[in-house]
């Protein structure tokens, strides 16, 4: 008799929203195939229990091997429950095939997990000789989704019942009455001992679910802490997690920004893919952290630009001579760039831009003398952002599109600051933008859900969000 283990996971009583992200958190939609992979791997060799089955057709290692449930001092081994059977009949487990898994999500209810396995046994026959037996097993369990003490999703098995299927004699001679005794023994002993295997597999998956939440360091800048905003939701193809990212400075202060007024229109997820939506709010918060830490400020001197780039009063004399007053040409310059407000990130269809408002003090910087202030500019840098995912992060690389400036004050004469825009843009591209990209190398963390890697994800920039999609 062929039959599955039917494992029912009570995940949630609501289905995911269709097309709208109602919060500003990171939305993760994990395909049912990924859950199936996680459970399958937990049976073979998950991150917590290595080599769960060991050699699949042997019983010499792993959870079901000589040191595990089927082994020497184990639950099924000599001295355990199965030792009783050994004393009565000399029956021993010879083979346990790797369970075949299929999974179906039940919208608004849970997950139906089907496993099918066969057990091979052998013993000495009452008429002499060697007997080989085979059995198939059905196990039906109910597992509720709860919340652990630290706020992570956790699967808790509430009920488990087992049913032994057909028992067959592959080789040897066994009288019918004794065959019935062996069959009854297996009905009583073997099925009831498979529930701990299911529970162990769930424990491994719980460890993976627990990694969704936690603290992700951002180098010297601070950290991002992920928390679950709502209970997980479920559709017929994926599990949806609404994850709230909390950005903190090194000192532990929360970097917070106004939430968007309107929900994000998230594109539908295709079958057999997993999807993560990174909201605009998280981009703005990360850049806010950079600004709060002073990472966007910079003093630019000739040391920080290539030798073929001039950074002296001679350049100013050619562009805005009235700004120098009586200052001679050829004096080194210092550009003191300060960002007093958090940058603004814009995400539109197929394009990401960053706007940085900066205050620039221009000073002469003669050797062995105190700097002398010349004038002050208010500028706005518009930078294009190239986005690239890795396994666990979304990386940004900036390039300057334009730099517009206006004169704020001058210690000599007023002048048209727009004459400096091309020269300043050249300096900023060579000195300031590379520093920004180094600071941004920490990336924007993505939530870890069942170890799904987004390294090869397709990236789509939509209105106020970035969507990453990877095949399961």
């Amino acid at each position: 008799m062929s039959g599955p283990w039917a494992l029912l996971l009570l995940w949630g009583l609501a289905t995911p929203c269709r097309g709208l992200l109602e919060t500003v958190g990171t939305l993760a939609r994990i395909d049912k195939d990924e859950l199936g992979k996680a459970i399958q791997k937990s049976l073979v060799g998950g991150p917590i229990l290595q080599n769960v089955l060991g050699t699949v057709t042997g019983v010499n290692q792993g959870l079901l091997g000589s040191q595990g449930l089927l082994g020497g001092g184990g639950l099924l081994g000599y001295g355990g429950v199965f030792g009783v059977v050994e004393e009565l009949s000399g029956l021993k487990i010879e083979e346990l095939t790797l369970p075949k898994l299929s999974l179906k999500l039940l919208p608004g209810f849970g997950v139906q997990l089907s496993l099918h396995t066969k057990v091979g046994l052998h013993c000495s026959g009452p008429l002499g000789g060697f007997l080989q037996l085979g059995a198939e097993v059905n196990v039906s369990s109910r597992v509720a989704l709860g919340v652990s003490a630290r706020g992570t999703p956790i699967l808790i098995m509430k009920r488990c019942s087992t049913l032994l299927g057909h028992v067959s004699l592959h080789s040897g001679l066994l009288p019918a009455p004794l065959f019935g005794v062996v069959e009854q023994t297996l009905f009583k002993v073997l099925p009831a001992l498979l529930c701990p295997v299911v529970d162990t597999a769930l424990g491994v998956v719980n460890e993976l679910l627990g990694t969704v939440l936690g603290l992700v360091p951002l180098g010297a800048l601070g950290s991002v802490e992920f928390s679950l905003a709502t209970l997980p939701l479920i559709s017929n193809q994926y599990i949806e997690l609404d994850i709230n990212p909390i950005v903190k400075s090194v000192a532990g202060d929360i970097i917070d920004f106004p939430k968007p007024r309107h929900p994000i229109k998230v594109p539908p997820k295709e079958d057999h893919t997993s999807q993560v939506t990174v909201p605009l709010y998280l981009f703005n918060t990360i850049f806010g952290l950079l600004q709060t830490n002073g990472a966007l400020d910079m003093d630019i001197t000739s040391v920080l630009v290539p030798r073929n780039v001039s950074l002296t009063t001679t350049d100013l004399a050619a562009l805005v001579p009235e700004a120098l007053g009586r200052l001679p040409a050829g004096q080194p310059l210092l550009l003191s760039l300060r960002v007093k407000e958090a940058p603004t990130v814009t995400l539109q269809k197929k394009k990401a831009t960053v706007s940085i408002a900066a205050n620039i003090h221009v000073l002469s910087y003669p050797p062995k003398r105190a700097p002398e202030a010349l004038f002050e500019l208010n500028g706005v840098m518009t930078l294009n952002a190239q986005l690239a995912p890795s396994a666990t992060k979304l990386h940004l690389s900036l390039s300057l599109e334009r730099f517009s400036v206006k004169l704020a004050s001058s210690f000599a004469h007023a002048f048209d600051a727009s004459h400096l825009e091309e020269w300043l843009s050249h300096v900023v591209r060579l000195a300031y933008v590379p520093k920004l990209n180094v600071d941004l190398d920490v990336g924007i963390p993505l939530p870890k859900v069942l170890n799904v890697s987004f390294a090869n994800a397709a990236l789509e920039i939509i209105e106020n969000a970035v969507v990453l999609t990877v095949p399961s």
Side-chain angles (χ1 to χ4, degrees):
M1 181 186 300
S2 176
W5 293 352
L7 179 60
L8 195 60
L9 311 183
L10 304 180
W11 206 291
L13 299 179
T15 56
C17 56
R18 294 186 178 181
L20 291 181
L21 175 54
E22 298 293 347
T23 72
V24 297
T26 299
L27 190 70
R29 290 172 171 174
I30 305 304
D31 193 79
K32 66 177 184 178
D33 295 345
E34 294 296 341
L35 180 60
K37 288 179 185 177
I39 297 174
Q40 186 76 47
K41 288 180 180 179
S42 72
L43 295 172
V44 178
I48 305 300
L49 298 176
Q50 296 297 321
N51 299 321
V52 172
L53 287 179
T55 302
V56 175
T57 56
V59 291
N60 296 321
Q61 54 184 334
L63 178 68
L64 303 183
S66 60
Q67 303 301 317
L69 293 179
L70 305 186
L75 187 61
L76 295 182
Y78 184 80
V81 176
F82 203 80
V84 176
V85 180
E86 285 193 297
E87 292 177 0
L88 292 174
S89 62
L91 192 65
K92 297 181 180 179
I93 293 181
E94 180 183 46
E95 179 180 349
L96 181 66
T97 61
L98 180 64
K100 295 180 181 179
L101 181 147
S102 63
L103 184 143
K104 180 181 179 181
L105 302 186
L106 307 176
F109 183 70
V111 181
Q112 180 176 312
L113 175 66
S114 298
L115 300 174
H116 172 69
T117 190
K118 296 180 180 180
V119 180
L121 310 102
H122 71 261
C123 63
S124 298
L127 303 179
F130 188 71
L131 300 179
Q132 285 188 315
L133 303 170
E136 299 181 5
V137 184
N138 296 324
V139 177
S140 185
S141 304
R142 284 186 177 269
V143 179
L145 178 67
V147 179
S148 70
R150 65 187 187 96
T152 62
I154 183 172
L155 300 173
I156 306 169
M157 186 159 61
K158 295 295 186 179
R159 187 174 65 192
C160 180
S161 60
T162 59
L163 177 65
L164 184 67
H166 179 66
V167 178
S168 57
L169 178 64
H170 295 312
S171 66
L173 297 175
L174 185 64
L178 291 180
F179 185 86
V181 173
V182 172
E183 194 173 48
Q184 290 177 11
T185 302
L186 292 178
F187 267 107
K188 293 179 181 179
V189 178
L190 182 59
L193 298 175
L194 292 175
C195 284
V197 177
V198 177
D199 201 32
T200 301
L202 292 176
V204 176
V205 176
N206 283 336
E207 290 291 333
L208 295 176
L209 289 173
T211 61
V212 173
L213 311 184
L215 205 64
V216 181
L218 293 173
L221 298 176
S223 61
V224 175
E225 183 176 0
F226 290 113
S227 62
L228 203 60
T230 62
L231 287 176
L233 304 177
I234 194 165
S235 76
N236 61 352
Q237 286 295 327
Y238 60 86
I239 297 163
E240 182 174 289
L241 302 177
D242 188 357
I243 301 169
N244 182 34
I246 303 172
V247 181
K248 296 182 179 180
S249 66
V250 175
D253 299 324
I254 295 177
I255 309 299
D256 202 4
F257 283 84
K259 309 297 188 293
R261 297 179 181 179
H262 304 290
I264 299 171
K265 295 182 179 179
V266 181
K269 189 192 79 66
E270 297 180 359
D271 292 349
H272 308 296
T273 65
S274 292
Q275 182 188 82
V276 165
T277 301
V278 184
L280 174 64
Y281 169 78
L282 185 54
F283 285 83
N284 283 329
T285 306
I286 294 294
F287 274 95
L289 180 61
L290 289 169
Q291 187 270 330
T292 301
N293 286 2
L296 301 181
D297 299 337
M298 186 179 186
D299 289 335
I300 304 174
T301 64
S302 58
V303 177
L304 300 176
V305 295
R307 292 182 179 180
N308 61 341
V309 177
S310 177
L311 199 61
T312 67
T313 53
T314 303
D315 301 280
L316 296 183
L319 297 171
V320 286
E322 60 267 44
L324 295 180
R326 297 181 180 181
L327 194 68
Q331 296 291 322
L333 292 176
L334 167 65
L335 307 183
S336 179
L337 190 152
R338 296 293 180 267
V339 178
K340 299 180 180 180
E341 298 179 356
T344 301
V345 182
T346 302
L347 298 175
Q348 296 177 338
K349 290 184 177 181
K350 299 182 180 180
K351 188 174 183 179
T353 58
V354 181
S355 178
I356 301 177
N359 181 264
I360 304 172
H361 290 268
V362 181
L363 307 93
S364 68
Y365 193 56
K368 299 181 181 180
R369 288 173 54 188
E372 180 181 347
L374 299 178
F375 54 88
E376 180 182 349
L377 302 172
N378 290 328
V380 176
M381 287 176 275
T382 302
L383 303 109
N384 292 320
Q386 298 296 321
L387 308 179
S390 65
T392 58
K393 293 182 179 181
L394 181 60
H395 297 275
L396 291 85
S397 178
L398 302 180
S399 60
L400 183 67
E401 181 179 312
R402 62 180 179 273
F403 190 11
S404 59
V405 294
K406 292 182 179 180
L407 182 65
S409 63
S410 174
F411 289 90
H413 302 284
F415 60 90
D416 186 357
S418 64
H419 295 160
L420 295 174
E421 288 180 353
E422 184 177 350
W423 172 71
L424 283 172
S425 296
H426 190 50
V427 173
V428 165
R429 282 191 182 95
L430 295 172
Y432 185 68
V433 174
K435 175 186 180 298
L436 287 184
N437 287 329
V438 171
D439 293 331
L440 288 170
D441 192 54
V442 294
I444 296 178
L446 302 173
K448 291 180 64 178
V449 185
L450 299 180
N451 282 338
V452 176
S453 172
F454 287 89
N456 298 316
L459 186 147
E460 181 183 3
I461 300 174
I462 63 174
E463 195 77 21
N464 295 330
V466 173
V467 180
L468 302 175
T469 303
V470 63
S472 299

